[in-house]
Amino acid sequence: MPVPVMSSVVRAILSENLDLSADEVIRKAKVRGVTSPERVIRTTAHNIKSELKRRAAKASAPKPVPAAARTTKTPERAPVPVAVAVVIPEVVAPVLVPISSSAGPDLTSVLANIALVNTVVGECGGAEPARRVAEAVRACGSVEAFLLHLNLIAQVRGATV
């Protein structure tokens, strides 16, 4: 019969009764066939007992209750119409794009997105092919899903990804 693993036996003994003294744990471990020296069993018993007590304290500690969400109403400002001139290479005259004042802090991101879309329209060969790409992204469900499909098609066609 193989010799039982000392730490497993000590853990099992202490799991049954965490209030046992080290001497009682040593005695029960020896009865179960542990052949390790008493000082090693004692050290293991103290370490496992401490670990089990920490786990028990952690499990019984009251968890903080999250505070209820508070909503504050920000005063609404009247929208002030703003127009931004955007020059698209295919269009001779600048196009005025109305932007509400609520987008004021995000004006730079709006303009950056307009520039990005303009680049995509140029790369796709026009607004209609770019619109078909956007519809394909929407049909896939997300940009990530579209990119996965795009990589698959590129591999099938033999192009580098």
Side-chain angles (χ1 to χ4, degrees), residues 95-115:
V95 177
L96 293 179
V97 179
I99 300 175
S100 69
S101 66
S102 63
D106 294 333
L107 184 60
T108 53
S109 65
V110 169
L111 293 176
N113 288 340
I114 290 172

Side-chain angles (χ1 to χ4, degrees), residues 55-137:
R55 283 188 186 173
K58 196 175 201 181
S60 66
K63 295 183 181 179
V65 177
R70 295 186 184 113
T71 58
T72 57
K73 189 171 183 176
T74 57
E76 294 183 21
R77 297 185 291 174
V80 177
V82 176
V84 177
V86 178
V87 179
I88 301 176
E90 291 83 23
V91 180
V92 177
V95 177
L96 293 179
V97 179
I99 300 175
S100 69
S101 66
S102 63
D106 294 333
L107 184 60
T108 53
S109 65
V110 169
L111 293 176
N113 288 340
I114 290 172
L116 180 63
V117 169
N118 183 40
T119 303
V120 170
V121 167
E123 293 290 326
C124 288
E128 192 56 37
R131 184 174 287 111
R132 286 196 305 264
V133 170
E135 289 171 359
V137 170

